[in-house]
Amino acid sequence: MRDDDPRLPSSPGFWRSPLRGPWFTSVLGVVLLVGITVLFVTGLVSYAAYNPGLARVNDQTPDKGILGFYLFAWPTDPYWLYRLTQGLHVTLGIALIPVLLAKLWSVVPRLFALPPARSLAHALERISLLLLVGGGLFEFTTGVLNVQLDYVFPGSFYPLHFYGAWVFFAAFVAHAALKLPTAVRSLRRRREERGERVSRAPEPGELVSPRPLPPTVSRRGALWFVGGASLLLLVTTAGQSIGGVLRRTALLAPHGGADPGGGPNGFQINKTAAYAGIDAAETAEEAWRLVVTGRTGTVRLSRAELLRMPLHSSALPIACVEGWSTDDQWWRGVRLRDLAALVGYDDPPDLFVESLQRRGAFRRAALRANQVADPRSLLALYVNGEELSPDHGRPARIIVPAAPGVLNTKWVARLTFGAL
């Protein structure tokens, strides 16, 4: 068969949809230009929130090298910061899926065009397109699987998504730089046509079919369809980050890994005590002891001894990397900085936290000195006026403002203060 045989995908005549064209692709491209930039920035912010430069225990992406250039000490104000940035990252990522799929559909003829490269610029465009398509599908697929707690991909989500994001965004920037003049020209041409109220012949190119089928919907109607699908995903996802009554509309959002039940402990759970391998005998009041180590040595505190220390309350949410977050919960317990003072620190240092958890990631976590020093950072013993349930970390858990949920360690066994 010849390359121009309409039975071959390499032939322009193979692709007969009348919707494909520079204007349709350009509109989708502009939306993705803004949306993917926001996704990339909020993704980097999420990585910084783990304080991976603090200790290897927090760093899930070894050998990142210069890719970690932007890392900084994660703040504790505003206390809802991670809830906002990660909620935006996940919600926007899900809402952009119809736009991404429509964009990929609109440019699919370019993937089969022959010859593979007509010039250096064309070769660079084709390479960037292949990396863009592959990287986009990889990032969005692993992201959706992660927010649904479905880890079917090989390896850890964190390095896969982190390195994949850099490859995808590099291809995205290169492709945008190459195609932005064409996109601007197409949008300007359409605006001029509307102003003059005339219709010109479509621009020639790989996206315009030489023998299109009769249209069943206009390009504007197709864009409304894509926008409606994105709006539907937005409405059925955003409530898990916004909270309140909108939480009931979040039908497609991640809800955590278990039913939390009702009452004061009735808010989202990812890891249950059973999943983490927590032995009830270890957490019983007569058996459990908190080991606190610092400059002046080690102390072992029972729950009764902790309750004799000054107790404080904080109203803080839990926000997880999967995109869901709770409304503010009222926590009560001992300030982390008071526990640091107990072992010889007037100015709280960094903190290494160890859990009784036996299975799953983040059995240990590191917190920066600014997080330990914040008066709202607690070793929580109660939530909403009731003792913590086993699934929420009984007998004690960490709660820190603006920290990712996995750093709010449950079933705490040991606190080690000092430089990490």
Side-chain angles (χ1 to χ4, degrees):
M1 295 184 182
R2 300 173 315 187
D3 291 343
D4 59 353
D5 190 320
R7 291 172 294 177
L8 289 177
S10 59
S11 169
F14 181 86
W15 309 97
R16 302 190 62 192
S17 172
L19 296 180
R20 288 191 180 92
W23 179 78
F24 184 74
T25 298
S26 297
V27 172
L28 296 172
V30 169
V31 173
L32 289 176
L33 179 64
V34 176
I36 288 177
T37 300
V38 173
L39 285 182
F40 185 68
V41 172
T42 53
L44 294 185
V45 165
S46 176
Y47 182 60
Y50 281 74
N51 287 318
L54 176 62
R56 292 284 296 180
V57 66
N58 284 11
D59 192 352
Q60 299 294 310
T61 53
D63 303 320
K64 58 187 175 293
I66 62 172
L67 298 184
F69 70 92
Y70 65 93
L71 297 180
F72 52 92
W74 186 249
T76 56
D77 281 307
Y79 72 90
W80 39 259
L81 178 60
Y82 191 73
R83 184 182 186 189
L84 171 65
T85 59
Q86 192 60 14
L88 176 61
H89 181 76
V90 171
T91 302
L92 179 61
I94 292 175
L96 282 178
I97 289 174
V99 184
L100 177 70
L101 294 178
K103 171 70 172 179
L104 294 179
W105 173 85
S106 74
V107 299
V108 71
R110 287 184 179 149
L111 298 178
F112 297 91
L114 295 176
R118 295 190 297 267
S119 64
L120 178 59
H122 185 246
L124 291 175
E125 179 192 339
R126 294 293 296 275
I127 292 171
S128 71
L129 183 61
L130 289 173
L131 290 175
L132 186 66
V133 171
L137 291 175
F138 178 83
E139 284 298 287
F140 277 80
T141 299
T142 55
V144 169
L145 289 173
N146 178 68
V147 301
Q148 297 300 337
L149 307 176
D150 193 359
Y151 301 108
V152 297
F153 40 81
S156 171
F157 167 77
Y158 298 95
L160 288 173
H161 206 65
F162 178 79
Y163 293 126
W166 277 104
V167 172
F168 170 56
F169 196 71
F172 178 76
V173 170
H175 189 75
L178 290 167
K179 301 305 293 183
L180 188 59
T182 301
V184 171
R185 189 164 56 250
S186 297
L187 294 175
R188 183 179 299 163
R189 186 173 187 266
R190 181 58 176 256
R191 186 168 60 250
E192 290 173 354
E193 288 178 3
R194 292 180 62 189
E196 298 171 4
R197 295 188 178 182
V198 297
S199 179
R200 303 176 187 171
E203 295 180 6
E206 297 165 345
L207 299 181
V208 178
S209 175
R211 51 190 198 100
L213 294 169
T216 56
V217 64
S218 68
R219 287 173 179 165
R220 191 174 298 278
L223 288 176
W224 275 110
F225 178 78
V226 173
S230 290
L231 181 61
L232 177 63
L233 290 178
L234 177 68
V235 169
T236 53
T237 303
Q240 276 295 91
S241 297
I242 298 173
V245 296
L246 291 178
R247 197 174 298 276
R248 300 174 185 174
T249 70
L251 304 177
L252 299 181
H255 291 262
D259 183 359
N265 278 274
F267 53 95
Q268 289 95 322
I269 298 165
N270 259 14
K271 295 175 183 175
T272 65
Y275 170 83
I278 302 300
D279 186 344
E282 289 182 287
T283 60
E285 188 165 345
E286 61 275 9
W288 179 80
R289 295 294 182 271
L290 175 69
V291 180
V292 184
T293 300
R295 179 185 296 154
T296 58
T298 298
V299 296
R300 295 171 59 87
L301 300 170
S302 66
R303 181 179 174 85
E305 289 170 320
L306 285 169
L307 290 173
R308 287 197 289 271
M309 294 181 67
L311 300 183
H312 299 269
S313 297
S314 298
L316 300 172
I318 293 176
C320 282
V321 70
E322 295 89 4
W324 64 260
S325 59
T326 72
D327 295 322
D328 291 356
Q329 312 295 323
W330 276 99
W331 308 90
R332 187 163 178 80
V334 180
R335 286 176 173 169
L336 294 182
R337 68 183 190 182
D338 292 342
L339 291 167
L342 197 63
V343 288
Y345 294 98
D346 294 328
D347 294 321
D350 300 334
L351 171 61
F352 182 61
V353 184
E354 297 175 84
S355 173
L356 293 171
Q357 178 180 338
R358 289 182 172 83
R359 294 193 299 149
F362 290 98
R363 296 184 292 272
R364 302 173 297 168
L367 299 174
R368 287 192 181 271
N370 67 303
Q371 294 174 310
V372 178
D374 193 293
R376 296 165 294 182
S377 297
L378 303 176
L379 178 74
L381 306 171
Y382 298 92
V383 64
N384 299 323
E386 186 176 279
E387 287 188 10
L388 295 169
S389 69
D391 288 340
H392 279 302
R394 186 198 297 170
R397 71 171 296 162
I398 298 293
I399 187 72
V400 173
V406 290
L407 299 186
N408 293 316
T409 309
K410 299 193 284 189
W411 313 293
V412 175
R414 181 184 291 269
L415 303 177
T416 303
F417 291 93
L420 300 177

